[in-house]
Amino acid sequence: MRGSIVSWLLTALLCTAGSGSAFAQERETEQQVRELQEPAPEAVEVELASPTATEKEVEWQGEEDADEEPAEAEEGQAEQDEERETFGDRFRRGDLFGWFDAQARFFPQQAGNPLGIPPQNDYWFNGSLAWEPGFFMNVTDYMNFELILFGRVDQHDRNRTHGDIREGFFELFFNEWTLGFGIHKVFWGVTESRHLVDIINQNDLVEDFDNDIKLGQAMITTSYTNDKAGTFSLYVMSWARPLVFPGPLGRPTLPIPVDNDLRVYESRLKEGQIDAALRWSHSMAGFDWGLSYFYGTAREPQLFPMTNAAGLPVLQPVYDLIHQGGLDVQYTVEGWLLKAESIVRGGQGPTFGAVTGGFEYTFYQASGSILDIGIILEYSYDSRNNNTFIIFNNDFFTGVRLSLSDVGSTEFLVGSFIDAKDGSVFIAAEASRRFGDSWKILLEGRGYIPQKDNVLQFFRNDAQIQVDIEFHY
Amino acid sequence: MKRSVAPFVIFAMLVPALALAGPAEDKGLEIANEADRRDEGFSDSKSKMLMLLRNKRGQESKRELEIRTLEVKGDGDKSLTVFHTPRDVRGTALLTFSHGVEPDDQWLYLPALRRVKRIASNNKSGPFMGSEFAYEDLSSQEVEKYTYKYLKDDKVDGVDCFLVEQYPVSKDSGYTRLQAWLDKDEYRIRKIDFYDRKGALLKTLTPSEYKQYLGKHWRANKMNMVNHQTGKSTELVWSEFEFKTGLKDEDFTRTRLQQVL
């Protein structure tokens, strides 16, 4: 398995290496010219501490100079050889990295049956294992390649036993321009509680429903960055991934399962629909701006109840073609971060708008200690008020982050969403710390305090405690 | 500010430095300017840095970073710092546009989320990655960040030095004053004592193994910072210094922040 990936990689890299080396050689020449004009960059290195060392070093320097002169004629040839060898060298110098995760989830309450259907997920413990291996290399001075795979095996939920290519991306960069192709992840936006403008990648919902973990997206992208005008990016994408919900044995899960086999697309090309997106972003004084536009298959489906072939109630996902305009802005001054994001989306029922905004303030070294205390307050509004599945239609988010700035980067986080209309609450608390250079332990607790008729009712009994032991390499 | 005593004490200590620009102040500034002038024109640099964090019991932990700096005429330098270890923060990168007296602009890249986040830059006094170096110790050292006062001539390890006292201009600094020993030969820092907000001796920095690059720029290959109050220390070991590598403004953007590894 591993061998085949490596050989595929090699072929892919070799195919593209040619185009990169033209750049590299150009730069090589540039460098040689510069070296001729200026004194050699590695000039005399004089050891200060001991005078004897100084003498030695000067002597050695002299010897090298003497050696160098007759060899100069061969230098050009030698350097070209070096360039030819470089790909192999660079491949070997590539960085293998990643992490393993052993995860345990505990559910102290008996699973509920909000719609009178007996639950299949009434267990108190769920174990799972995950691995995210990665490989990164500079193919040339002007090209990077990154591959990140992911897989998880889950004890109960078949949908959560899943794999993904998080990244498989070539990126070329030359002065103000970049050009990338492959499978990639892109993040847009500034707020913490809800990522409205961020639309390129599908959520990895079975991994976690906090919308921070994404599936890789196939794309070709280019960007132009200029100090004065900011960054302009263009994305052309295809094969948008369907949103995978937890299965009937997942916990928490929806009371009626989502049947992805029944999914329908508005686009005649279905999954083959070509999506396009544009973004401009810029930093001016204390402001960071982002303006974006997306046209293509919605990442977030509409769900309609129906019965499947077996006559059981299921939810059918419908993927509309949408237009979405987005704006995000952050103003940074001293310890304050003021943030807002807003979208307008058409094509998914009536055109609607949504906004999230608020602030983050950090007291650094609160009361003279090494403790940093950050507080976050955000409000979300979504004009799709009558849709039960939109949890953030009118909600506050409050969060407190404590960071110890110690060797183990110890951190505590407490966050809660509060429905402004009915007072329903979702609360989560998290602690993490690194042990040694490679191990990391995360503890998390989550709870739901729903009021009547709030969508959180479905998860009322799904309070959980989660422990993750991670090994990073 | 007037209600509490501590800030008043600090203020009183700063008064001589701020109000009286006498000959000692002039000479202090002159020394700082000369040290700055001698390092001008490096254009850009690349280097690797190993941080060794040691606690009181001698337990050690490591961080490996890569640093790129671009000299900016008429403003503070631009810098890009990337982490290689610890592995859970591999690829995390920090882009800083420093601005002398004005607060720096800083962006943090979080590779797991592919997110570039503008961060507050008033966290000057906080420890950098759990080390004994504060952010302000590692940021670009611009002349305008301090006011100066020449104290006397002194010796460090038998080397003739100027002893200059420095007073941070920013109210976010964790220090009331720094005492810096610069050798008379090359204006290299030989030792710095840092005094905390209460005026007590907090840390001592000792750079060593200076090497000269391009026949001009002196860089210490080792820097040891000892915290006298906690007994912890952090050693920085620099390697693979390169100057005039051809880095440009385009290599210090939020876009490039995601591609630096």
Side-chain angles (χ1 to χ4, degrees):
Chain A
M1 170 76 183
R2 197 161 163 206
S4 71
I5 289 172
V6 171
S7 64
W8 173 82
L9 232 171
L10 271 169
T11 338
L13 292 179
L14 287 169
C15 292
T16 47
S19 60
S21 61
F23 283 134
Q25 270 172 9
E26 205 171 295
R27 205 187 102 124
E28 197 69 38
T29 330
E30 235 177 66
Q31 241 171 17
Q32 281 169 6
V33 171
R34 221 177 30 238
E35 273 164 28
L36 286 175
Q37 286 166 345
E38 291 167 27
E42 291 92 25
V44 205
E45 293 187 359
V46 185
E47 193 90 29
L48 225 216
S50 60
T52 48
T54 311
E55 275 169 31
K56 264 186 213 156
E57 210 148 332
V58 170
E59 216 179 274
W60 174 78
Q61 192 79 31
E63 267 172 33
E64 195 186 52
D65 282 348
D67 281 350
E68 244 171 46
E69 266 168 58
E72 207 156 293
E74 290 165 36
E75 205 171 81
Q77 184 58 43
E79 257 177 62
Q80 283 210 337
D81 285 349
E82 202 179 294
E83 188 58 40
R84 245 175 259 149
E85 278 168 59
T86 301
F87 174 74
D89 292 344
R90 284 171 188 268
F91 182 71
R92 277 186 293 275
R93 259 195 289 122
D95 193 7
L96 277 169
F97 61 93
W99 47 264
F100 295 95
D101 169 41
Q103 183 186 76
R105 284 177 173 174
F106 303 91
F107 302 91
Q109 290 160 291
Q110 201 169 29
N113 51 347
L115 299 181
I117 307 159
Q120 300 175 55
N121 61 352
D122 187 18
Y123 47 81
W124 66 273
F125 174 82
N126 184 66
S128 72
L129 293 170
W131 183 28
E132 190 177 277
F135 174 75
F136 176 90
M137 70 174 288
N138 305 113
V139 182
T140 72
D141 282 351
Y142 298 94
M143 186 191 224
N144 291 340
F145 172 72
E146 186 165 39
L147 179 71
I148 302 179
L149 307 173
F150 172 81
R152 180 177 294 280
V153 180
D154 191 81
Q155 181 186 355
H156 291 104
D157 187 1
R158 263 193 338 166
N159 287 8
R160 200 167 184 252
T161 296
H162 68 302
D164 183 35
I165 301 174
R166 298 284 199 231
E167 294 278 336
F169 195 61
F170 289 91
E171 192 159 40
L172 287 127
F173 38 94
F174 199 73
N175 293 338
E176 294 95 342
W177 292 91
T178 70
L179 173 67
F181 54 97
I183 294 166
H184 191 42
K185 191 160 77 175
V186 171
F187 181 89
W188 296 345
V190 289
T191 53
E192 302 298 320
S193 59
R194 197 178 180 202
H195 304 312
L196 278 174
V197 305
D198 187 37
I199 193 173
I200 299 287
N201 297 79
Q202 182 58 274
N203 283 314
D204 191 344
L205 195 67
V206 287
E207 199 40 29
D208 200 347
F209 57 80
D210 66 3
N211 293 351
D212 270 341
I213 305 169
K214 303 280 179 178
L215 299 174
Q217 170 67 51
M219 67 174 75
I220 298 171
T221 173
T222 182
S223 79
Y224 172 83
T225 303
N226 179 295
D227 253 6
K228 294 195 176 64
T231 300
F232 300 86
S233 311
L234 170 71
Y235 306 83
V236 178
M237 298 153 277
S238 191
W239 298 99
R241 317 276 300 275
L243 184 59
V244 178
F245 288 82
L249 282 142
R251 195 169 178 187
T253 191
L254 291 170
I256 304 172
V258 175
D259 191 340
N260 268 345
D261 294 340
L262 297 175
R263 68 181 185 272
V264 289
Y265 291 88
E266 183 181 344
S267 167
R268 278 184 303 114
L269 300 166
K270 300 191 169 175
E271 289 94 334
Q273 163 70 23
I274 309 284
D275 307 326
L278 281 166
R279 180 169 166 88
W280 168 77
S281 62
H282 195 27
S283 296
M284 284 174 284
F287 287 94
D288 286 58
W289 295 94
L291 250 180
S292 51
Y293 174 75
F294 172 91
Y295 174 73
T297 292
R299 298 330 193 210
E300 172 189 48
Q302 299 195 72
L303 300 173
F304 295 101
M306 66 179 293
T307 46
N308 65 6
L312 295 168
V314 290
L315 294 168
Q316 179 188 36
V318 174
Y319 288 90
D320 303 280
L321 279 173
I322 60 162
H323 295 268
Q324 177 170 311
L327 170 70
D328 56 272
V329 58
Q330 178 177 323
Y331 180 61
T332 309
V333 60
E334 305 212 314
W336 291 93
L337 313 178
L338 305 176
K339 305 165 170 190
E341 286 189 24
S342 171
I343 57 160
V344 176
R345 186 186 294 175
Q348 206 170 27
T351 298
F352 68 91
V355 61
T356 297
F359 71 84
E360 188 176 337
Y361 183 79
T362 308
F363 301 91
Y364 290 105
Q365 295 83 55
S367 61
S369 66
I370 59 162
L371 181 71
D372 294 339
I373 301 175
I375 50 171
I376 302 166
L377 181 66
E378 286 178 0
Y379 171 74
S380 282
Y381 179 78
D382 195 309
S383 70
R384 288 173 293 181
N385 240 326
N386 47 2
N387 189 329
T388 10
F389 290 106
I390 308 305
I391 299 175
F392 305 109
N393 52 13
N394 183 8
D395 291 71
F396 284 99
F397 172 81
T398 60
V400 178
R401 180 191 289 130
L402 306 179
S403 330
L404 283 184
S405 309
D406 60 343
V407 175
S409 306
T410 310
E411 249 190 27
F412 302 93
L413 277 162
V414 182
S416 58
F417 289 92
I418 303 149
D419 191 302
K421 221 169 14 184
D422 69 11
S424 293
V425 173
F426 165 67
I427 186 162
E430 196 184 304
S432 66
R433 188 191 192 282
R434 179 173 51 245
F435 290 87
D437 289 332
S438 305
W439 296 89
K440 196 168 179 178
I441 295 180
L442 293 98
L443 277 171
E444 193 183 3
R446 288 179 178 176
Y448 308 82
I449 312 160
Q451 300 301 316
K452 242 194 168 153
D453 298 331
N454 191 293
V455 66
L456 288 181
Q457 273 297 346
F458 298 148
F459 314 121
R460 178 179 50 171
N461 296 319
D462 290 328
Q464 70 174 51
I465 294 162
Q466 179 176 316
V467 184
D468 283 279
I469 299 173
E470 294 176 357
F471 177 80
H472 293 260
Y473 64 96
Chain B
M1 179 152 178
K2 278 171 198 159
R3 261 171 254 146
S4 100
V5 181
F8 176 75
V9 173
I10 292 165
F11 182 69
M13 284 163 41
L14 287 173
V15 164
L18 296 172
L20 311 167
E25 286 72 21
D26 288 346
K27 188 169 179 186
L29 180 64
E30 226 170 79
I31 294 167
N33 275 326
E34 178 61 19
D36 187 59
R37 196 190 58 76
R38 285 180 182 232
D39 197 38
E40 259 173 27
F42 68 85
S43 306
D44 67 81
S45 68
K46 287 183 185 176
S47 61
K48 291 197 169 154
M49 185 172 100
L50 172 69
M51 282 187 127
L52 295 164
L53 283 59
R54 297 187 182 104
N55 69 11
K56 231 192 262 181
R57 285 163 290 170
Q59 285 170 324
E60 205 172 85
S61 73
K62 253 196 250 175
R63 279 116 179 69
E64 286 163 284
L65 306 92
E66 210 176 302
I67 298 168
R68 297 174 192 184
T69 310
L70 181 72
E71 193 177 28
V72 180
K73 298 255 153 55
D75 200 354
D77 297 343
K78 293 181 179 181
S79 76
L80 223 161
T81 305
V82 194
F83 282 92
H84 289 276
T85 65
R87 295 302 268 177
D88 64 317
V89 294
R90 176 197 169 274
T92 302
L94 187 69
L95 175 67
T96 307
F97 293 178
S98 53
H99 298 302
V101 182
E102 292 293 303
D104 299 345
D105 297 324
Q106 279 191 315
W107 293 266
L108 184 68
Y109 172 57
L110 304 165
L113 306 175
R114 295 265 155 197
R115 180 173 180 183
V116 176
K117 203 179 163 182
R118 173 82 167 262
I119 57 170
S121 63
N122 63 339
N123 181 22
K124 288 181 186 297
S125 59
F128 181 77
M129 282 303 287
S131 75
E132 297 314 310
F133 284 84
Y135 283 89
E136 63 186 310
D137 304 337
L138 293 168
S139 73
S140 164
Q141 296 298 312
E142 309 295 329
V143 174
E144 319 86 76
K145 286 186 174 176
Y146 304 91
T147 57
Y148 302 84
K149 187 181 176 184
Y150 162 77
L151 294 184
K152 60 175 183 180
D153 287 358
D154 200 3
K155 282 190 182 211
V156 175
D157 299 330
V159 178
D160 282 322
C161 289
F162 301 112
L163 172 55
V164 179
E165 201 154 64
Q166 301 181 200
Y167 312 93
V169 173
S170 167
K171 62 178 169 46
D172 297 317
S173 173
Y175 313 121
T176 46
R177 63 195 167 105
L178 284 69
Q179 289 194 338
W181 283 261
L182 290 91
D183 65 53
K184 290 185 174 181
D185 288 346
E186 298 285 351
Y187 288 72
R188 289 165 300 204
I189 290 164
R190 288 326 194 91
K191 187 172 127 177
I192 301 179
D193 281 340
F194 298 82
Y195 292 84
D196 67 13
R197 285 175 179 155
K198 292 172 189 132
L201 178 62
L202 177 64
K203 303 186 290 193
T204 298
L205 174 74
T206 323
S208 60
E209 298 185 17
Y210 271 101
K211 284 188 179 175
Q212 194 177 26
Y213 298 86
L214 303 183
K216 182 173 181 184
H217 309 286
W218 290 96
R219 292 287 182 274
N221 279 23
K222 282 190 180 172
M223 289 185 182
N224 197 32
M225 182 76 95
V226 178
N227 187 318
H228 302 290
Q229 297 181 1
T230 62
K232 292 188 209 169
S233 70
T234 299
E235 187 173 25
L236 305 185
V237 183
W238 302 81
S239 61
E240 299 176 38
F241 269 116
E242 285 178 78
F243 290 84
K244 295 192 174 162
T245 64
L247 290 173
K248 289 172 289 213
D249 271 325
E250 293 96 61
D251 298 306
F252 295 84
T253 62
R254 289 180 300 163
T255 312
R256 198 51 58 83
L257 191 57
Q258 308 180 32
Q259 306 156 334
V260 278
L261 262 179

